[in-house]
Amino acid sequence: LTLKKLMNHSAGLDTHSIGTQMPGFLKTIDGIILGNILDPLNNGVQPMWRPGISYSYSGGGYTVLEHILELETGESFRVFGNRELLDHVGMDDSTYDKGLSSMDNLARGCSRGICGYDVKQTNVKAAGGLLVTANDYAKMLIPLMNEGIGIDGTRVFKAKTVRQIMTA
Protein backbone atom coordinates (compact mmCIF):
# COMPACT_ATOMS: atom_id res chain seq x y z
CA LEU A 1 0.00 0.00 0.00
CA THR A 2 1.61 3.26 -1.12
CA LEU A 3 0.98 6.89 -0.20
CA LYS A 4 0.11 7.53 -3.85
CA LYS A 5 -2.61 4.86 -3.75
CA LEU A 6 -3.98 6.43 -0.55
CA MET A 7 -3.98 9.87 -2.18
CA ASN A 8 -5.64 8.82 -5.43
CA HIS A 9 -8.30 6.63 -3.78
CA SER A 10 -7.00 3.36 -5.19
CA ALA A 11 -5.78 1.87 -1.88
CA GLY A 12 -8.78 -0.47 -1.67
CA LEU A 13 -9.91 0.87 1.71
CA ASP A 14 -13.50 1.53 2.78
CA THR A 15 -15.07 4.07 5.19
CA HIS A 16 -16.56 6.60 2.81
CA SER A 17 -18.27 9.00 5.17
CA ILE A 18 -16.14 10.23 8.04
CA GLY A 19 -18.72 12.95 8.56
CA THR A 20 -19.08 15.73 11.06
CA GLN A 21 -20.51 15.58 14.52
CA MET A 22 -21.83 17.92 17.17
CA PRO A 23 -19.16 19.36 19.51
CA GLY A 24 -18.53 16.92 22.35
CA PHE A 25 -19.24 13.87 20.17
CA LEU A 26 -16.28 14.08 17.78
CA LYS A 27 -14.69 10.87 16.52
CA THR A 28 -10.97 10.44 17.15
CA ILE A 29 -8.50 9.54 14.42
CA ASP A 30 -7.79 6.23 16.20
CA GLY A 31 -11.52 5.49 16.50
CA ILE A 32 -12.03 6.08 12.78
CA ILE A 33 -9.06 3.94 11.72
CA LEU A 34 -9.36 1.13 14.29
CA GLY A 35 -13.11 1.18 14.92
CA ASN A 36 -15.05 1.10 18.16
CA ILE A 37 -16.08 -2.18 19.81
CA LEU A 38 -18.97 -0.35 21.50
CA ASP A 39 -20.36 0.73 18.12
CA PRO A 40 -21.23 -2.25 15.87
CA LEU A 41 -21.53 0.10 12.86
CA ASN A 42 -17.94 1.32 13.26
CA ASN A 43 -15.54 -1.46 12.28
CA GLY A 44 -12.74 0.95 11.42
CA VAL A 45 -11.04 1.24 8.06
CA GLN A 46 -11.22 -2.14 6.32
CA PRO A 47 -9.73 -3.42 3.05
CA MET A 48 -12.25 -3.94 0.25
CA TRP A 49 -9.84 -5.21 -2.41
CA ARG A 50 -6.16 -5.37 -3.25
CA PRO A 51 -4.56 -1.88 -3.68
CA GLY A 52 -4.46 -0.57 -7.24
CA ILE A 53 -7.41 -2.60 -8.53
CA SER A 54 -10.07 0.11 -8.58
CA TYR A 55 -10.81 3.76 -7.82
CA SER A 56 -13.22 4.35 -4.94
CA TYR A 57 -13.40 7.46 -2.75
CA SER A 58 -12.13 6.57 0.71
CA GLY A 59 -12.36 8.97 3.62
CA GLY A 60 -10.84 6.16 5.63
CA GLY A 61 -7.83 6.08 3.30
CA TYR A 62 -7.38 9.83 3.69
CA THR A 63 -7.65 9.45 7.47
CA VAL A 64 -4.86 6.84 7.33
CA LEU A 65 -2.85 9.25 5.16
CA GLU A 66 -3.48 12.06 7.68
CA HIS A 67 -2.27 9.87 10.54
CA ILE A 68 0.90 8.87 8.65
CA LEU A 69 1.67 12.53 7.93
CA GLU A 70 1.16 13.44 11.59
CA LEU A 71 3.45 10.63 12.73
CA GLU A 72 6.15 11.60 10.22
CA THR A 73 6.06 15.38 10.76
CA GLY A 74 5.26 15.43 14.47
CA GLU A 75 2.55 18.04 13.92
CA SER A 76 -1.19 17.97 13.34
CA PHE A 77 -2.60 17.87 9.83
CA ARG A 78 -4.49 21.04 10.72
CA VAL A 79 -1.24 22.96 11.30
CA PHE A 80 0.53 21.30 8.35
CA GLY A 81 -2.40 21.82 5.94
CA ASN A 82 -2.93 25.45 6.90
CA ARG A 83 0.77 26.23 6.44
CA GLU A 84 1.85 24.02 3.55
CA LEU A 85 -1.28 24.17 1.43
CA LEU A 86 -3.61 27.05 2.27
CA ASP A 87 -0.98 29.66 3.18
CA HIS A 88 1.25 28.52 0.31
CA VAL A 89 -1.51 29.00 -2.26
CA GLY A 90 -2.86 32.21 -0.67
CA MET A 91 -6.17 30.72 0.44
CA ASP A 92 -6.58 33.38 3.12
CA ASP A 93 -10.30 32.88 3.75
CA SER A 94 -10.11 29.10 4.21
CA THR A 95 -8.96 26.93 7.09
CA TYR A 96 -8.48 23.44 8.49
CA ASP A 97 -9.48 24.81 11.91
CA LYS A 98 -12.80 23.77 13.43
CA GLY A 99 -15.86 25.63 12.24
CA LEU A 100 -17.37 27.98 14.78
CA SER A 101 -20.74 29.70 14.71
CA SER A 102 -18.89 33.04 15.06
CA MET A 103 -17.19 32.64 11.64
CA ASP A 104 -18.57 35.27 9.24
CA ASN A 105 -18.33 33.22 6.04
CA LEU A 106 -19.28 29.81 7.40
CA ALA A 107 -22.11 28.30 5.38
CA ARG A 108 -24.23 25.54 6.85
CA GLY A 109 -27.58 23.92 6.26
CA CYS A 110 -29.51 26.51 8.24
CA SER A 111 -27.68 29.59 6.91
CA ARG A 112 -30.96 31.19 5.79
CA GLY A 113 -32.60 30.97 9.18
CA ILE A 114 -32.02 30.45 12.86
CA CYS A 115 -30.04 27.30 13.59
CA GLY A 116 -31.36 25.02 16.27
CA TYR A 117 -27.94 23.40 16.64
CA ASP A 118 -24.31 24.45 16.87
CA VAL A 119 -21.84 24.06 14.00
CA LYS A 120 -20.96 20.44 13.34
CA GLN A 121 -17.22 19.69 13.43
CA THR A 122 -14.64 17.00 12.78
CA ASN A 123 -11.34 16.17 14.46
CA VAL A 124 -9.87 14.70 11.29
CA LYS A 125 -9.02 17.17 8.56
CA ALA A 126 -7.80 15.40 5.39
CA ALA A 127 -11.20 13.82 4.72
CA GLY A 128 -13.70 16.64 4.88
CA GLY A 129 -12.16 19.01 7.43
CA LEU A 130 -11.37 21.86 5.03
CA LEU A 131 -13.55 24.96 5.25
CA VAL A 132 -13.08 26.79 1.94
CA THR A 133 -14.60 29.72 0.07
CA ALA A 134 -15.35 29.60 -3.66
CA ASN A 135 -12.67 32.22 -4.43
CA ASP A 136 -10.06 30.30 -2.47
CA TYR A 137 -11.07 27.06 -4.19
CA ALA A 138 -10.36 28.77 -7.51
CA LYS A 139 -6.92 29.77 -6.18
CA MET A 140 -6.23 26.04 -5.80
CA LEU A 141 -7.78 24.88 -9.09
CA ILE A 142 -6.20 27.48 -11.40
CA PRO A 143 -2.58 26.37 -10.80
CA LEU A 144 -3.64 22.72 -11.02
CA MET A 145 -5.14 23.40 -14.45
CA ASN A 146 -2.29 25.69 -15.57
CA GLU A 147 0.91 23.63 -15.06
CA GLY A 148 1.41 25.13 -11.59
CA ILE A 149 1.01 28.82 -12.52
CA GLY A 150 -1.38 30.75 -10.25
CA ILE A 151 -3.95 33.41 -11.10
CA ASP A 152 -1.36 36.18 -10.67
CA GLY A 153 1.15 34.50 -13.01
CA THR A 154 3.49 33.23 -10.30
CA ARG A 155 4.51 29.59 -9.89
CA VAL A 156 2.52 27.97 -7.09
CA PHE A 157 3.42 24.32 -7.74
CA LYS A 158 6.18 22.60 -9.69
CA ALA A 159 4.93 21.59 -13.14
CA LYS A 160 6.17 18.02 -12.57
CA THR A 161 4.14 17.80 -9.35
CA VAL A 162 0.99 19.02 -11.09
CA ARG A 163 1.43 16.47 -13.91
CA GLN A 164 1.84 13.72 -11.34
CA ILE A 165 -1.26 14.83 -9.41
CA MET A 166 -3.36 15.09 -12.57
CA THR A 167 -2.31 11.72 -14.01
CA ALA A 168 -4.80 8.95 -13.35
Side-chain angles (χ1 to χ4, degrees):
L1 181 60
T2 65
L3 293 175
K4 184 175 182 177
K5 284 188 170 73
L6 286 168
M7 290 182 72
N8 70 15
H9 300 292
S10 64
L13 300 177
D14 69 357
T15 311
H16 301 286
S17 299
I18 301 304
T20 56
Q21 298 85 37
M22 298 301 293
F25 298 95
L26 303 179
K27 298 175 186 175
T28 65
I29 198 164
D30 291 342
I32 292 167
I33 294 171
L34 300 175
N36 182 343
I37 59 171
L38 300 176
D39 180 358
L41 299 176
N42 182 3
N43 295 321
V45 178
Q46 299 290 319
M48 295 188 308
W49 51 75
R50 200 172 81 241
I53 298 295
S54 179
Y55 167 88
S56 178
Y57 175 79
S58 174
Y62 261 57
T63 303
V64 170
L65 185 68
E66 177 175 341
H67 194 53
I68 291 169
L69 188 135
E70 289 180 346
L71 291 172
E72 286 298 311
T73 65
E75 61 187 356
S76 71
F77 185 88
R78 181 190 64 76
V79 169
F80 182 87
N82 281 332
R83 183 188 68 240
E84 297 296 327
L85 181 62
L86 305 183
D87 293 347
H88 176 73
V89 177
M91 297 172 70
D92 301 324
D93 293 324
S94 299
T95 186
Y96 279 106
D97 294 324
K98 288 183 179 173
L100 303 171
S101 55
S102 62
M103 291 177 164
D104 291 338
N105 293 329
L106 183 65
R108 51 190 173 140
C110 53
S111 294
R112 294 182 184 201
I114 297 172
C115 288
Y117 59 88
D118 203 357
V119 176
K120 292 184 177 182
Q121 302 174 341
T122 180
N123 278 331
V124 295
K125 300 300 173 181
L130 173 62
L131 301 174
V132 64
T133 65
N135 283 339
D136 277 0
Y137 190 62
K139 289 178 185 177
M140 175 64 68
L141 290 180
I142 288 169
L144 289 177
M145 302 307 290
N146 195 25
E147 290 287 314
I149 305 298
I151 195 166
D152 62 358
T154 62
R155 178 153 303 281
V156 177
F157 303 116
K158 294 177 183 175
K160 179 181 177 183
T161 302
V162 173
R163 284 191 296 275
Q164 186 176 21
I165 291 170
M166 301 304 282
T167 300

